[in-house]
Amino acid sequence: MEVSFAREIEKLKLGAGETFHGEGILAVTKALLQSGVSYVGGYQGAPVSHLIDVMVQAAPDMAKLGVHVEPCTNEASAAAMLGASIMYPVRGAVTWKSIVGTNVAADALSNLASPGVMGGALIIVGEDYGEGSSVIQERTHAYAMKSTLWLMDPRPNLPSIVTCVERAFELSEASNTPVIMELRIRACHVQGAFEAKDNIAPAISGRRLLAEPAPHQYEQLAHPPVTFGHERKKSSERMTAARAFIREHRLNEVFDGAQGDVGIVVQGGLYNALIRALAELGLADAEGNCDLPIMALNVVYPLVPEEILGFAEGKRAVLVLEEGQPEYIENEIGTILRRAKSPVVLAGKDILPMAGEYTSEVMAKGVGTFLRDHLPGIGNQLGDTAYAEESEALRAEAQRLLAAPVPPRPPSFCTGCPERPFFAALKLTQQEIGPVHYSADIGCHAFATFAPFNFGNSILGYGMSLASNASVASFQQKRPLAVMGDGGFWHNGLLSGVTSRLLNGGDGVLVIMKNGYTSATGTQEVISSPDPALKLAAAEKSATHGETTIEDALKGVGVKWLRTVHTYKVSQMRDTLREAFSTKFSGLKVIVAEGECQLERQRRVKPIRAKALAEGERVVRTRFGVDEDTCTGDHSCIRLSGCPTLTVKTATDPLKTDPVAHVTNGCVGCGLCGEVAHAATLCPSFWRAEVISNPGWWDRTRSRLRRIFTLGAVA
């Protein structure tokens, strides 16, 4: 990973009396150290990537405290790390992106929740839900309920988030139960400040080693018959202890309001958006003071019946603002009110959307409807209609200024991405053999599902592409194709896909995009990353000096048909694909498509180039372009490559009515456009040039000679 978090790491060293300024996820990182955590692990994924990334880069400083930091190969291995807290009084925290990461970790979480924990165990998940989401629209709440794990959803401001992290460990220890803390995208990146505390060196750590292991206690294992007793403990002892702790320490917050006949119960993570909505309705000010009583649930599971009944007492109606479906919180509150024979009217999903993100606009409409029904005195004077009209007017004005609808801009590969050439080669291959069943995977390569490639019949999970077409191979004349990245290969693909296919003797083609990193999540290293410093450190730890490669792993499990092709060699890749689909060899065929992530390459090359330029050294940069006199305007090059810098422009020749191809200044000189033109036998309109900065005498002489001969040829 080439991104530096040097400035953020320094903030982790702040002590008592100092003020921390920064974003939400970094505040979480600091709160972990203030809580005396012994170990931290996790798997990268937005929006919580920074937590593990910062910890990895700050590992030397963490070691001084005795904190063990471990980037895990997947979420299941991260969740399993918390097993250290089952038998030892040590605090541990792990992190990943939810809901996809929680799906992967589910087995370990169930087996962790059954015996419970002795030391505080905290799981920090990025609740990637709503308009900015990049994953399946599901919620972590279901996992918390099914496994009896407490779920926190803190108000999105730094003091509240830090307090909840610290209290989460205490809650976990008081109830012997792991705690999940969900953080939405906006909470992870909210900016703010809080008063720091001194970091706490854990009592048991890498610097304070235990002399003896924990004694064997069968009742602390997730194994029958003791698991039957675990279930009873969950619903009686642990739940009771958790509710007592939540109530005693007032983890949920109640904000009074003048209009006491009604009230709002809201998930803590939605509190900021609610206040914004109420401000638009004229019911709250910029400081957050509100006319309506609000109960902010920083702990959304379990709920405390006494708190709910206390808030509902004396009110004629209560509105529950709960994002997503099913309405777990609303149903639980309804059960609490029914069992207490409370006359309070409960509103929620009957007037608010069942699915989708609860933005301020959505909540303003719902609150307006609720108040007109139950508090008409002020409900009929609200500004929600004006707010909606203002929003609609802004949209109309934007459309007027644009003069035409904005064309859709689906996500795409970065300029110079080494994965794009492979898909160009696949397009050329399918022009010859026809379409094949394509199993897509999670990662940058999933952008091939969009134009101009339009590949993909399924996406089943990270590293699951090969496994997903196991049965397809049995009823297709053509061999199915699966594509995964090296991150997905190490995460899940090697075992779930490759070894399973080998075990069953199945046919098919697998392409592994070997760009060197788990790129889509921030280019974190994997075991086969090309970083020499990382390899050296790993070699020193293991006392071996051999590099771990994808090819070695494939050969080791028994793959017989294996090819490694550089992705920019489009013709060679096309020929290799053709061979894979036509060979008489029956069995798994694997193509390793090698080409380093362009972002990582640019991060490495740009500082080197800048330093060389500053020192007056000769620097050569490659550029590609299109000769518009030669270009026919057929645009096959664009349809085959999809490069963002390869576009069209109006021809200067008045006799050419069609626009010609054009390469913008964003070109990084990868050469794909020329490779595609050659492989597809397109027009020879692409040219390659070398832009030389700080040229030497030979460069200048050669340039003069070229100009002389060019002018002579023209004359």
Side-chain angles (χ1 to χ4, degrees):
M1 179 176 56
E2 299 293 333
V3 179
S4 174
F5 291 97
R7 294 175 60 185
E8 288 80 1
I9 290 170
E10 290 303 310
K11 294 179 182 180
L12 300 180
K13 301 175 184 177
L14 295 175
E18 298 180 283
T19 302
F20 179 102
H21 294 273
E23 67 173 4
I25 201 61
L26 292 170
V28 171
T29 312
K30 172 60 175 160
L32 292 175
L33 300 179
Q34 294 179 175
S35 301
V37 69
S38 291
Y39 61 95
V40 178
Y43 190 79
Q44 56 272 0
V48 289
S49 292
H50 283 10
L51 196 157
I52 195 68
D53 290 348
V54 169
M55 284 291 192
V56 168
Q57 292 193 18
D61 294 317
M62 300 300 99
K64 294 176 183 178
L65 288 170
V67 180
H68 173 67
V69 179
E70 184 159 325
C72 302
T73 54
N74 59 32
E75 297 85 356
S77 63
M81 280 186 71
L82 293 174
S85 295
I86 294 176
M87 295 293 295
Y88 298 95
V90 293
R91 290 182 169 182
V94 295
T95 183
W96 55 71
K97 172 189 193 137
S98 196
I99 190 75
V100 288
T102 309
N103 289 340
V104 175
D107 195 18
L109 290 180
S110 293
N111 286 280
L112 176 72
S114 189
V117 293
M118 178 188 299
L122 176 60
I123 303 149
I124 302 158
V125 299
E127 191 76 347
D128 194 13
Y129 179 89
E131 291 181 347
S133 172
S134 59
V135 298
I136 305 301
Q137 294 297 278
E138 293 181 3
R139 299 161 59 201
T140 307
H141 203 116
Y143 276 97
M145 294 177 66
K146 84 167 185 64
S147 296
T148 316
L149 298 161
W150 315 145
L151 181 62
M152 302 187 78
D153 188 4
R155 286 197 298 133
N157 64 74
L158 265 55
S160 293
I161 291 172
V162 170
T163 298
C164 282
V165 170
E166 295 171 343
R167 291 298 191 190
F169 285 111
E170 298 172 11
L171 171 61
S172 176
E173 290 162 350
S175 59
N176 304 119
T177 305
V179 175
I180 302 176
M181 176 178 290
E182 60 179 11
L183 296 170
R184 291 170 179 76
I185 295 171
R186 290 180 177 86
C188 287
H189 301 299
V190 67
Q191 296 288 322
F194 67 92
E195 293 304 310
K197 301 176 184 176
D198 291 333
N199 294 334
I200 298 176
I204 300 174
S205 70
R207 293 177 62 86
R208 300 174 181 176
L209 304 178
L210 289 177
E212 299 291 338
H216 170 68
Q217 297 182 40
Y218 182 73
E219 62 272 14
Q220 288 302 106
L221 298 178
H223 190 267
V226 293
T227 48
F228 305 117
H230 294 166
E231 184 182 16
R232 287 191 293 271
K233 283 186 176 181
K234 282 181 179 181
S235 58
S236 57
E237 298 174 20
R238 298 181 197 168
M239 183 75 76
T240 300
R243 284 172 168 161
F245 184 92
I246 294 166
R247 189 176 185 187
E248 178 184 351
H249 293 86
R250 298 182 179 179
L251 298 189
N252 296 319
E253 301 171 278
V254 174
F255 303 91
D256 293 328
Q259 304 294 337
D261 287 347
V262 297
I264 298 176
V265 178
V266 62
Q267 293 173 267
L270 301 179
Y271 179 83
N272 288 4
L274 171 61
I275 292 299
R276 169 67 190 277
L278 293 174
E280 292 292 343
L281 297 179
L283 297 174
D285 60 25
E287 302 298 322
N289 300 308
C290 180
D291 291 344
L292 300 178
I294 298 174
M295 184 178 190
L297 296 174
N298 292 313
V299 183
V300 292
Y301 182 79
L303 298 182
V304 181
E306 294 83 359
E307 289 185 343
I308 299 298
L309 294 172
F311 181 74
E313 187 176 357
K315 294 180 175 59
R316 98 175 50 144
V318 170
L319 172 66
V320 177
L321 293 175
E322 175 184 8
E323 203 168 47
Q325 53 83 34
E327 56 270 52
Y328 299 116
I329 299 173
E330 183 180 342
N331 286 337
E332 188 172 357
I333 291 176
T335 299
I336 291 170
L337 296 176
R338 176 182 58 79
R339 288 177 177 172
K341 297 181 173 56
S342 172
V344 175
V345 175
L346 187 65
K349 293 294 185 183
D350 54 333
I351 57 176
L352 282 138
M354 181 64 76
E357 185 174 1
Y358 277 13
T359 62
S360 295
E361 190 174 353
V362 170
M363 285 198 274
K365 183 178 180 181
V367 171
T369 302
F370 171 73
L371 292 179
R372 273 189 284 275
D373 289 343
H374 301 286
L375 205 63
I378 63 169
N380 295 325
Q381 303 173 20
L382 295 178
D384 56 324
T385 302
Y387 181 32
E389 291 174 352
E390 180 184 355
S391 299
E392 188 58 39
L394 289 172
R395 294 191 187 94
E397 179 65 8
Q399 291 181 357
R400 185 189 68 79
L401 293 174
L402 290 169
V406 178
R409 284 188 65 188
S412 183
F413 298 100
C414 299
T415 302
C417 175
E419 298 186 358
R420 183 182 283 108
F422 164 76
F423 293 106
L426 180 59
K427 258 196 155 182
L428 293 173
T429 305
Q430 291 198 151
Q431 286 178 1
E432 298 179 22
I433 68 173
V436 297
H437 179 93
Y438 180 106
S439 297
D441 208 278
I442 304 298
C444 297
H445 37 82
F447 291 142
T449 59
F450 296 112
F453 303 115
N454 302 312
F455 291 132
N457 296 100
S458 65
I459 298 179
L460 267 293
Y462 198 23
M464 299 293 287
S465 59
L466 183 59
S468 72
N469 68 30
S471 60
V472 174
S474 68
F475 56 78
Q476 288 268 335
Q477 291 184 355
K478 297 175 186 174
R479 290 166 175 150
L481 171 68
V483 174
M484 68 178 69
D486 39 9
F489 173 79
W490 293 117
H491 179 278
N492 204 357
L494 176 60
L495 294 180
S496 297
V498 175
T499 58
S500 179
R501 189 63 58 93
L502 293 173
L503 172 67
N504 292 283
D507 203 349
V509 180
L510 169 65
V511 175
I512 301 171
M513 309 302 295
K514 185 182 177 183
N515 65 21
Y517 310 87
T518 49
S519 299
T521 58
T523 61
Q524 291 84 5
E525 288 89 355
V526 292
I527 193 172
S528 56
S529 290
D531 186 343
L534 183 72
K535 292 301 174 192
L536 179 60
E540 290 173 349
K541 284 183 180 179
S542 62
T544 62
H545 296 279
E547 180 179 341
T548 302
T549 68
I550 292 173
E551 289 86 347
D552 288 341
L554 291 167
K555 292 175 184 176
V557 297
V559 172
K560 305 299 182 185
W561 197 102
L562 176 63
R563 307 285 189 272
T564 298
V565 184
H566 200 284
T567 57
Y568 283 105
K569 297 179 179 179
V570 176
S571 297
Q572 185 180 347
M573 182 64 76
R574 176 201 56 198
D575 295 343
T576 305
L577 283 167
R578 183 196 298 134
E579 180 190 359
F581 285 112
S582 61
T583 181
K584 293 181 179 180
F585 176 84
S586 180
L588 179 63
K589 289 155 281 291
V590 183
I591 300 172
V592 178
E594 187 165 17
E596 186 185 11
C597 171
Q598 186 65 219
L599 285 179
E600 285 298 299
R601 181 180 180 277
Q602 291 299 317
R603 286 169 182 153
R604 185 176 63 257
V605 170
K606 283 183 177 179
I608 297 173
R609 182 186 296 133
K611 181 181 179 183
L613 288 171
E615 295 176 354
E617 297 180 12
R618 180 179 183 271
V619 176
V620 181
R621 184 167 61 92
T622 304
R623 275 293 314 276
F624 287 81
V626 177
D627 181 359
E628 67 172 76
D629 292 332
T630 309
C631 177
T632 62
D634 130 294
H635 306 146
S636 295
C637 53
I638 296 174
R639 292 192 295 273
L640 280 171
S641 79
C643 177
T645 65
L646 183 57
T647 181
V648 295
K649 72 171 186 177
T650 303
T652 55
D653 185 348
L655 297 179
K656 286 190 174 183
T657 57
D658 293 330
V660 294
H662 172 66
V663 180
T664 70
N665 287 330
C667 172
V668 296
C670 71
L672 172 60
C673 47
E675 279 287 326
V676 167
H678 173 72
T681 322
L682 300 178
C683 64
S685 59
F686 286 92
W687 51 259
R688 178 181 182 274
E690 290 183 345
V691 181
I692 303 175
S693 302
N694 300 324
W697 68 269
W698 172 241
D699 295 315
R700 297 179 187 277
T701 301
R702 187 169 56 175
S703 177
R704 292 192 190 99
L705 290 173
R706 282 176 174 169
R707 281 200 295 269
I708 291 171
F709 285 117
T710 301
L711 290 173
V714 172

